[in-house]
């Protein structure tokens, strides 16, 4: 088999890249370790920036998002039972869209099926070869046979645990990491959201987030310890721990119900540099992770894909390597800003330190955020997404 770009991973990064390349006549094959059903069952992020919406439109997969997605013009932050609102519209003129990553993945999969571009699911033992040569290739096992794809480029879109980053020469890669001593316990329920806008909650008992997917489906998170066992969190316990962290109005409006999904995710900041090794380009979670507090994971994956697809389109159309040369630097400049914002929001809202000094500093910083127009503007600009 031969293709122009071999894409490893059928998450949002790989699927979106495949769709944009296909639109410009660039052949690509996606290799995915899991089945399509498994990929669609993962419940993940839910907030997308305007620039991500624009890219999904450009890829021709934005129709359902505009029909079903919820535009949010602001966000609420509740500190010790008192709620404050930050208006994105007033501060930046922009909004964000609340639309689940699961739905985006489905739209991308349907879009790919509609144009007949190939995805090989249940592709095992994917292995990258010759990335520093002009003739890279990928081997894998599918349908019980070892197969090979020759290509011009390999796009490593296989997430944090994928094989692509591990295939980079060890001496050429630098990684930066911060592991936070906490996780998020999340549940999805078919109950109406507690508010029209997301509520980020800072409370002495710990962080909480009230989010949503639709007007009848809510997503809630609670800060938990890393050692937490999901079995010890029956739904009743979740609601009991959430309630005291909310303000009175939210508590009154809270409708509880059985969870339809429940999971724990650790919080981590991670960046691998650079993002190009010869003919291998990393994109999305394969190269970086942000804690979910800033809602940036999916948006960063989309911005990598935007830079990479433009560079590849330019290469095939004009035989110019300029975009490919600059890919890593351009992507990383944006990534580090989102890393800073996600780290800052995480430190601002969680119960991390038991030291009263740290807690007082947190409260002083939050007070400044609510009082200062400049601080609120910086927050809003980062949340809705910095320009490219
Ligand atoms: N071979 C083939 N596929 C693989 C391999 C492998 N060795 N390892 C991982 N994969 C697949 C995974 O099964 C997954 O479907 O790569 C895909 C990577 O998808 P994501 O982890 O969703 O990463 P990405 O597409 O970059 O999306 C980033 O998704 O995970 C969220 O928070 C993240 O919102 C962010 C966005
Ligand atoms: C979500 O709805 O899953 C969500 C929203 C905002 C975040 C993180 C997750 O910051």
């Amino acid at each position: 088999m031969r293709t122009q770009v071999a894409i490893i991973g059928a998450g949002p990064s790989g699927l979106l890249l495949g769709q944009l390349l296909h639109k410009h006549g660039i052949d690509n094959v996606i290799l995915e370790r899991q089945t399509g059903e498994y990929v669609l069952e993962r419940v993940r992020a839910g907030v997308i920036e305007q620039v991500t919406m624009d890219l999904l439109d450009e890829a021709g997969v934005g129709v359902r998002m505009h029909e079903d997605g919820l535009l949010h013009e602001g966000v609420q932050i509740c500190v010790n039972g008192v709620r404050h609102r930050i208006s994105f519209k007033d501060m930046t003129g922009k909004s964000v869209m609340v639309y689940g990553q699961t739905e985006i993945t489905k739209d991308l999969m349907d879009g790919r099926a509609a144009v007949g571009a190939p995805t090989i699911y249940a592709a095992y033992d994917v292995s990258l070869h010759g990335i520093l040569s002009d003739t890279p290739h990928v081997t894998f096992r599918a349908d019980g046979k070892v197969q090979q794809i020759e290509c011009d480029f390999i796009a490593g879109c296989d997430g944090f645990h994928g094989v692509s980053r591990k295939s980079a020469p060890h001496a050429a890669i630098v990684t930066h990491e911060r592991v936070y001593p906490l996780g998020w316990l999340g549940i999805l329920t078919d109950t109406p959201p507690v508010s029209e806008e997301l509520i980020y909650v800072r409370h002495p008992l710990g962080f909480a987030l009230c989010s949503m997917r639709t007007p009848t489906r809510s997503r809630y998170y609670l800060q938990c310890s890393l050692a937490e066992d999901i079995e010890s969190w029956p739904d009743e316990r979740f609601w009991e721990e959430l309630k005291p962290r909310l303000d009175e109005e939210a508590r009154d409006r809270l409708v509880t119900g059985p969870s339809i999904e429940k999971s724990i995710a650790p919080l981590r900041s991670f960046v691998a540099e650079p993002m190009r090794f010869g003919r291998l380009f990393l994109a999305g979670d394969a190269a970086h992770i942000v804690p979910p507090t800033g809602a940036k994971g999916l948006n960063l994956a989309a911005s990598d894909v935007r830079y990479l697809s433009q560079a590849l389109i330019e290469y095939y159309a004009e035989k110019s390597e300029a975009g490919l040369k600059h890919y890593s630097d351009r992507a990383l400049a944006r990534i580090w800003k989102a890393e800073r914002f996600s780290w800052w929001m995480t430190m601002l809202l969680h119960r991390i330190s038991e030291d009263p000094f740290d807690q007082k500093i947190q409260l002083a910083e939050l007070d400044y955020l609510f009082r200062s127009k400049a601080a609120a503007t910086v927050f809003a600009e980062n949340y809705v997404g910095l320009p490219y």
Side-chain angles (χ1 to χ4, degrees):
M1 226 191 294
R2 179 169 168 84
T3 190
Q4 289 174 302
V5 182
I7 301 174
I8 320 296
S13 304
L15 288 165
L16 183 55
L17 178 65
Q19 203 66 8
L20 291 165
L21 294 182
H22 181 87
K23 225 187 110 191
H24 288 267
I26 301 170
D27 260 7
N28 60 87
V29 175
I30 300 184
L31 296 176
E32 165 60 52
R33 172 164 72 176
Q34 307 288 353
T35 62
E37 294 75 39
Y38 181 94
V39 171
L40 275 179
E41 267 172 23
R42 297 188 294 222
V43 176
R44 290 200 171 150
V47 176
I48 50 184
E49 300 172 356
Q50 182 65 54
V51 286
T52 305
M53 290 181 236
D54 295 345
L55 198 62
L56 291 167
D57 282 335
E58 197 185 316
V61 296
V63 176
R64 222 163 53 95
M65 167 187 75
H66 289 293
E67 281 169 11
D68 297 346
L70 307 168
L71 271 181
H72 282 210
E73 296 186 352
V75 74
Q76 319 219 348
I77 301 179
C78 180
V79 179
N80 300 351
V82 181
R83 231 194 283 176
H84 305 260
R85 177 170 192 267
I86 295 181
S87 165
F88 305 142
K89 222 37 202 181
D90 292 352
M91 303 293 170
T92 69
K94 292 188 204 155
S95 303
V96 293
M97 176 82 86
V98 173
Y99 186 61
Q101 184 171 319
T102 316
E103 304 307 319
I104 293 175
T105 308
K106 183 173 184 312
D107 296 342
L108 284 163
M109 281 180 173
D110 291 349
R112 191 163 177 88
V115 297
T119 307
I120 302 173
Y121 286 100
Y124 302 111
D125 303 333
V126 169
S127 175
L128 283 51
H129 308 270
I131 58 170
L132 299 181
S133 75
D134 288 341
T135 52
H137 66 277
V138 181
T139 55
F140 60 100
R141 196 163 49 78
D143 295 328
K145 294 190 297 274
V146 174
Q147 307 186 37
Q148 177 163 328
I149 300 182
E150 276 147 36
C151 54
D152 299 332
F153 299 102
I154 302 173
C157 301
D158 48 353
F160 184 66
H161 299 288
V163 65
S164 299
R165 190 179 66 253
K166 293 175 196 142
S167 308
H170 289 308
I173 192 164
V174 176
T175 60
H176 308 272
E177 186 168 36
R178 172 127 330 160
V179 178
Y180 305 87
L182 45 96
W184 277 18
L185 169 64
I187 64 166
L188 195 64
T189 65
D190 276 328
T191 55
V194 78
S195 143
E196 276 76 53
E197 294 181 337
L198 268 58
I199 311 177
Y200 287 86
V201 182
R202 188 266 181 209
H203 193 276
L205 292 169
F207 171 83
L209 171 61
C210 307
S211 181
M212 66 196 73
R213 290 293 175 271
T214 69
T216 56
R217 181 168 284 189
S218 301
R219 179 86 170 143
Y220 294 101
Y221 296 96
L222 285 179
Q223 168 180 348
C224 66
S225 85
L226 278 178
E228 213 67 63
D229 175 11
I230 198 136
E231 297 303 321
S232 60
W233 281 90
D235 295 346
E236 296 68 33
R237 178 171 175 211
F238 187 95
W239 299 120
E240 286 318 306
E241 299 254 356
L242 176 65
K243 273 181 208 154
R245 302 184 195 194
L246 303 179
D247 57 282
E248 222 172 288
E249 186 190 341
R251 226 181 348 255
D252 286 348
R253 286 188 58 177
L254 180 69
V255 183
T256 62
S259 63
I260 48 178
E261 194 267 353
K262 194 185 284 163
S263 52
I264 294 179
L267 267 60
R268 182 197 302 272
S269 298
F270 176 88
V271 182
E273 298 182 320
M275 289 166 65
R276 177 194 184 169
F277 307 90
R279 296 259 168 170
L280 167 66
F281 294 83
L282 302 179
D285 277 17
H288 44 79
I289 297 286
V290 282
T293 331
K296 287 283 162 259
L298 176 62
N299 294 298
L300 274 187
S303 68
D304 290 353
V305 165
R306 182 174 179 273
Y307 293 131
L308 183 55
S309 60
Q310 283 176 350
L312 289 166
I313 291 162
E314 193 181 294
Y315 172 85
Y316 284 109
E318 301 163 23
K319 284 279 162 245
S320 159
E321 296 212 19
L324 294 176
K325 277 204 181 103
H326 291 127
Y327 168 66
S328 182
D329 287 344
R330 289 172 76 191
L332 282 162
R334 200 162 197 279
I335 288 158
W336 276 112
K337 289 177 195 145
E339 289 285 347
R340 186 209 66 83
F341 179 66
S342 306
W343 162 83
W344 174 79
M345 259 190 97
T346 301
M347 299 305 288
L348 189 67
L349 295 171
H350 290 80
R351 176 174 174 163
I352 295 183
S353 166
E354 297 308 318
D355 185 336
F357 178 86
D358 292 328
Q359 293 167 4
K360 295 275 185 196
I361 292 288
Q362 241 185 2
L363 292 172
E365 182 140 17
L366 281 159
D367 186 60
Y368 178 62
L369 175 64
F370 303 138
R371 281 171 197 272
S372 155
K373 195 167 175 202
T377 304
V378 171
F379 172 88
E381 281 172 351
N382 278 277
Y383 197 93
V384 302
L386 296 171
Y388 283 112

